[in-house]
Amino acid sequence: MSSVCVHGLGYIGLPTAAMLANYGHEVAGYDVDEAVRAELRNGETHFDEPGLRAFLTQALESDHLQITDEVVPAKYQIICVPTPFDEESKTADLTYIKAVGRTIAPELREGDTVILESTVPPGTTVNELQPLLEESGLTAGDDFALVHCPETVLPGNIITELRENNRIIGGVNGVSVESAVRLYESFVDGEIRRTSDPTVAEFVKLIQNTSRDVNIAFANEIARLARDYGIDSREAIELANEHPRVNILKPGPGVGGHCLPIDPWFLGTDSDELNLIETARQVNNEMASFVTDILDEELQETTEPKVAVLGVAYKGNVSDTRMSPGLRIARKLAETETKAVATDGGNEPAYEVMIQDPHVSDPTLDLTDLDEAMTDADAVLITTDHDEYEQLDPGTVSERMSGNLIVDTKDCLETKGWRQEGFTVLGI
Ligand code: SAJ
């Protein structure tokens, strides 16, 4: 069993630190945020993830996990800090990675291994991190091991996927790769694939998420085409997927989260070859207008219609609202003005918008409860496939609403029962 220092105790660093501790390694978890460190020491997690609290408690109680106030020397240094995205320039901000590189350098000893897990533009490990680590006077590959090992876990299923997913390890040389493999082998049941170039591993991670983004864009484009032809995209996609080599994903209100809408741009850092990829991003972003256009069309006869937007988490059964399609659509609706110019010269807001989400408790968002959101609503717009929405009862909803329009962008509802109750149910 080895000593490990994990830098950054967020969505990936925290479960990884707890996992390593629960497999018997001596783990120091460090996060720059003092409040997060205090919370974690008390066994509280600062984000929701099924099973994570119990997993953290197990690690803390075993004494194999210490939440430390500083970076400590360790055989393995694992970097799991965020790489924020600059919307304007479409570039990755590597500030946190560089800061960690600088703090590791003085602690680095011969024979240690540095592992970068954060998602980064191709070339970051070798061109940005390595020089900072070599400020220690040690040489990557010769004196210490250096690899990139991207995480691929799905939020909502992180603990299982940390163990079960295959891993790709790209190192500056074979010795580096083998050193990292020894650590991951201790808890990964999936296959561990090796490549002797960290840039390949960085590139692979990006093209995995980009592949999903581009494929979702294809499904979204099909939804737009299907509406033009007056046919049900879901039915068409289901039938198309009968073909043994066709697997079309699901259309939706757009793509959210901190990975799919961002990682494709990282590929373009030192390349201009983002044609299809950039168009796919645009198609996915435009789904917000596609959804608001449906409401505009259906509610054009209603004065200041009240719309209940259900779901501002970026996907079902998670609490994360980063790049949330539901929020983007709610804001777009709230900013829409009536087409007619009001007598005082200004335009009135076209919609009254209520937002609701049983998984999200963000004080900066004006969230209401389900009853309040639906009372007297002219339309209900479902933007996240939470289990709670699948279980909505048409009879109860019908009693609350004043209108009968449901726009179900995530295919949550059993449409037949709702139509029998008198609802107009539209999908995308
Ligand atoms: N979505 C659709 N249609 C679909 C599938 C997803 O519209 O058919 C939407 C979701 O509603 C959501 C968004 O895409 O808004 C992203 O959700 P997701 O479940 O596809 O992915 P993430 O962002 O939660 O996690 C992804 C995963 N990558 C891949 O599946 C290739 C995960 O394995 C990565 O570890 C994670 O990114 C990451 O950290 O990079």
Side-chain angles (χ1 to χ4, degrees):
M1 293 299 131
S2 303
S3 59
V4 184
C5 181
V6 178
H7 304 253
L9 300 174
Y11 290 90
I12 304 304
L14 180 58
T16 303
M19 177 71 75
L20 287 162
N22 290 338
Y23 274 82
H25 299 283
E26 293 305 323
V27 183
Y30 173 73
D31 194 287
V32 285
D33 190 329
E34 203 181 321
V36 165
R37 299 199 300 265
E39 227 177 314
L40 295 177
R41 278 193 193 107
N42 289 331
E44 305 283 337
T45 54
H46 52 112
F47 59 94
D48 282 347
E49 175 60 33
L52 183 59
R53 261 175 80 150
F55 208 57
L56 170 67
T57 304
Q58 185 191 338
L60 290 170
E61 284 177 356
S62 71
D63 271 346
H64 285 297
L65 174 64
Q66 311 293 331
I67 307 297
T68 56
D69 287 327
E70 58 196 0
V71 170
V72 298
K75 170 96 178 80
Y76 291 96
Q77 300 279 351
I78 307 185
I79 305 172
C80 302
V81 294
T83 37
F85 175 62
D86 186 289
E87 274 283 349
E88 283 279 295
S89 63
K90 305 273 184 261
T91 54
D93 175 357
L94 300 178
T95 313
Y96 297 121
I97 292 198
K98 289 180 182 170
V100 175
R102 286 189 197 98
T103 55
I104 293 176
E107 311 298 338
L108 205 56
R109 303 159 309 187
E110 234 171 279
D112 288 349
T113 298
V114 180
I115 300 168
L116 177 62
E117 283 210 13
S118 313
T119 305
V120 289
T124 303
T125 306
V126 170
N127 300 329
E128 306 290 343
L129 183 60
Q130 184 174 334
L132 293 170
L133 297 171
E134 289 184 340
E135 296 280 313
S136 61
L138 302 174
T139 305
D142 293 343
D143 303 320
F144 69 94
L146 176 61
V147 306
H148 179 60
C149 177
E151 59 77 19
T152 57
V153 291
L154 196 71
N157 196 28
I158 292 181
I159 295 170
T160 305
E161 293 208 355
L162 265 182
R163 264 195 217 108
E164 292 180 359
N165 287 5
N166 296 349
R167 297 298 292 243
I168 293 155
I169 298 180
V172 293
N173 61 358
V175 176
S176 291
V177 174
E178 292 315 315
S179 175
V181 168
R182 281 194 289 280
L183 183 69
Y184 285 94
E185 262 177 358
S186 68
F187 69 93
V188 171
D189 290 335
E191 208 181 314
I192 300 181
R193 299 291 306 269
R194 299 155 162 87
T195 163
S196 59
D197 185 349
T199 308
V200 172
E202 292 163 342
F203 190 77
V204 166
K205 161 73 191 197
L206 297 177
I207 62 173
Q208 285 173 333
N209 278 352
T210 303
S211 156
R212 194 154 170 83
D213 195 45
V214 170
N215 281 292
I216 295 169
F218 179 61
N220 283 336
E221 189 150 292
I222 288 172
R224 287 150 67 153
L225 284 165
R227 187 165 167 79
D228 285 347
Y229 288 104
I231 59 176
D232 179 347
S233 67
R234 307 271 172 180
E235 185 189 8
I237 289 173
E238 199 187 315
L239 291 173
N241 285 346
E242 288 296 320
H243 188 289
R245 284 171 298 283
V246 172
N247 184 18
I248 302 171
L249 295 179
K250 296 189 179 97
V255 170
H258 200 63
C259 306
L260 269 51
I262 293 172
D263 295 356
W265 296 113
F266 288 8
L267 280 170
T269 300
D270 285 314
S271 170
D272 296 327
E273 299 298 328
L274 292 189
N275 302 315
L276 175 65
I277 292 168
E278 194 169 343
T279 304
R281 282 277 69 248
Q282 196 184 331
V283 169
N284 287 336
N285 280 340
E286 282 169 359
M287 290 310 285
S289 307
F290 180 71
V291 173
T292 58
D293 285 351
I294 294 175
L295 288 166
D296 285 348
E297 203 177 307
E298 298 295 326
L299 296 170
Q300 54 184 312
E301 305 297 334
T302 316
T303 320
E304 205 189 334
K306 177 177 169 182
V307 179
V309 178
L310 306 191
V312 293
Y314 84 90
K315 68 174 186 177
N317 305 321
V318 302
S319 60
D320 191 343
T321 58
R322 289 178 297 175
M323 313 284 260
S324 148
L327 269 185
R328 193 181 309 141
I329 293 169
R331 287 184 180 134
K332 214 170 151 47
L333 285 175
E335 284 161 11
T336 308
E337 294 182 338
T338 49
K339 291 201 177 75
V341 178
T343 42
D344 63 2
N347 280 357
E348 301 291 329
Y351 292 97
E352 184 191 351
V353 183
M354 306 292 260
I355 55 175
Q356 190 274 341
D357 194 308
H359 292 258
V360 177
S361 54
D362 180 340
T364 65
L365 299 173
D366 200 7
L367 290 159
T368 57
D369 64 33
L370 193 59
D371 254 2
E372 197 183 340
M374 287 196 300
T375 302
D376 292 331
D378 296 287
V380 163
L381 170 65
I382 300 178
T383 42
T384 308
D385 44 355
H386 290 316
D387 290 347
E388 288 85 345
Y389 299 150
E390 284 171 23
Q391 284 143 24
L392 282 173
D393 170 49
T396 317
V397 176
S398 169
E399 279 167 28
R400 304 267 183 288
M401 286 178 69
S402 61
N404 67 346
L405 175 66
I406 311 270
V407 180
D408 177 10
T409 69
K410 297 296 292 182
D411 201 19
C412 276
L413 306 179
E414 277 297 337
T415 320
K416 209 170 145 208
W418 287 79
R419 291 200 172 126
Q420 276 165 359
E421 196 69 38
F423 284 98
T424 300
V425 184
L426 302 177
I428 60 169

